Amino acid sequence: MTRAQTARPASALYLGVDAGNSKTAALVSTASGEVVGAGRSGCGDIYGAATPEAAVSEALVAVRAALAQAGADIRAVGSAAFRLAGVDWPEDQSYWDMALTRHYPAALTSRSILNDGYAAIRCGDPRGIGISVTGGTSGAIAARGPDGELWDMGWWGQYPMGATGLANEAFRAIFLSELGLRPPTALTEALLAHFGKPTVAALNHWLTRRQGRAPGRERNSCARVVAAVAAAGDPAAVEIVRAQGHHLAQYAGVAARRTGLAQAGGPVSVVLSGSVLMAEGSPVADALFAELPAHVPGAVLHRGSLPPVAGALLDALAEGGVTLADPVVADAVLEKVTGSLPPREFLAT
């Protein structure tokens, strides 16, 4: 984390930001947890945007929109939590810290900056203890232990996860099948239809050619198709989703061990988020559920209770002096946050 956190008066506002590749969302609330402003913008990942500066700009667009809806100035924010995809190394955190100081030299003096994987943890346990498993554009896993120890997967992830992983593995399966190196798969017909390509060769060309190749978001748009083909029982697609569920569970186990959650015994809050895991009937989520007990004994699953940006807002409240460790306070704040969130469509990917 960066910057010292100090208790703020009840009149202060609190800011939570969750920045990913598909979108950036920001919420502003009062100390009670009532959301009074929301903003949304594009890619806030300094690794995924056209430039790091572009990622910062998108995050600030969401912040300004949330503050405008709240009818407030940035100086009214007493505590802010930025949960940002691409904050994987200390220099990434420093980059954002300098950028925020440059844009807001006299504001946001009480703020924290962490990987976006941490955003959802308080959506399961308001104390902020537990594991977050995100399957969105890519995979993100983060944990906070009972003594405050932090760990996130970052660039330790060595397997394709999230929508990007599903898409890339599906392309691999149909290209190898086309060459006779793997059995035929229903993924071939399904992906050709999805992308409107006449042949596998045409699809390969579109994905890899030097000019005019498929943009990343369009490539990844087939993730839902891969999941549907797996749900229908195609062996190649089933293997892809099972492997992803297995790898997510493995890394959740690493997170539990690295933060002391595994050693503490008892129940471990595990929050799921992201479009791949939150889709209705998600076979990746089913695969994760099947694997998780072997890697995180005592796992208690939380799925879809609150969006990750609400968890970032809860971080801002807790870091700003709201005692979410008190169950009575936590229940009251959660009720306020839940009842004042923007419509589900506003945060949908």
Side-chain angles (χ1 to χ4, degrees):
M1 289 191 187
T2 60
R3 306 277 173 180
Q5 286 104 35
T6 56
R8 295 289 167 181
S11 59
L13 294 179
Y14 299 80
L15 169 66
V17 179
D18 173 40
N21 276 269
S22 59
K23 70 176 184 301
T24 297
L27 296 177
V28 172
S29 83
T30 64
S32 70
E34 181 181 3
V35 176
V36 293
R40 174 174 173 147
S41 59
C43 176
D45 180 352
I46 57 176
Y47 287 87
T51 64
E53 294 80 7
V56 173
S57 294
E58 290 294 337
L60 298 186
V61 166
V63 170
R64 286 194 293 269
L67 287 168
Q69 191 177 94
D73 183 86
I74 191 67
R75 290 169 294 183
V77 175
S79 176
F82 289 82
R83 303 295 177 257
L84 311 164
V87 175
D88 298 319
W89 300 113
E91 60 267 29
D92 301 324
Q93 193 178 55
S94 297
Y95 176 85
W96 274 101
D97 196 37
M98 290 186 292
L100 291 172
T101 299
R102 185 171 66 253
H103 285 278
Y104 301 121
L108 296 183
T109 54
S110 178
R111 64 178 183 246
S112 64
I113 300 168
L114 291 172
N115 181 271
D116 65 326
Y118 291 96
I121 293 177
R122 288 188 197 269
C123 297
D125 185 337
R127 298 174 301 164
I129 298 170
I131 303 170
S132 166
V133 180
T134 304
T137 302
S138 56
I141 294 175
R144 182 184 291 108
D147 296 324
E149 187 70 24
L150 300 175
W151 187 85
D152 57 86
M153 182 171 67
W155 289 102
W156 292 105
Q158 299 301 304
Y159 303 98
M161 299 185 214
T164 301
L166 291 177
N168 287 348
E169 289 302 298
F171 297 142
R172 186 198 309 273
I174 66 174
F175 294 159
L176 290 175
S177 175
E178 178 72 5
L179 296 175
L181 299 176
R182 281 195 185 179
T185 169
L187 286 168
T188 301
E189 182 178 351
L191 265 64
L192 290 179
H194 174 74
F195 290 115
K197 301 300 177 185
T199 64
V200 175
L203 176 62
N204 195 0
H205 182 214
W206 178 63
L207 292 170
T208 60
R209 64 195 183 201
R210 183 170 49 86
Q211 294 180 319
R213 74 177 64 180
R217 186 160 187 172
E218 196 163 353
R219 284 173 57 98
N220 294 342
S221 69
C222 70
R224 288 183 174 88
V225 177
V226 178
V229 174
D234 176 75
V238 168
E239 180 183 349
I240 290 168
V241 301
R242 283 182 178 169
Q244 184 157 153
H246 173 69
H247 296 317
L248 288 169
Q250 281 185 310
Y251 278 96
V254 173
R257 293 189 295 274
R258 291 294 181 98
T259 58
L261 287 163
Q263 296 86 331
V268 179
S269 172
V270 180
V271 182
L272 271 58
S273 63
S275 58
V276 168
L277 294 176
M278 299 306 296
E280 186 175 353
S282 167
V284 178
D286 290 343
L288 173 60
F289 296 159
E291 293 274 354
L292 196 60
H295 298 277
V296 185
V300 177
L301 288 166
H302 302 273
R303 189 177 182 213
S305 53
L306 286 171
V309 67
L313 178 62
L314 292 172
D315 275 350
L317 286 159
E319 293 165 4
V322 178
T323 54
L324 295 181
D326 181 330
V328 175
V329 174
D331 286 347
V333 169
L334 285 171
E335 184 177 357
K336 278 285 189 181
V337 171
T338 303
S340 57
L341 284 172
R344 185 177 295 271
E345 300 75 37
F346 181 83
L347 298 172
T349 300

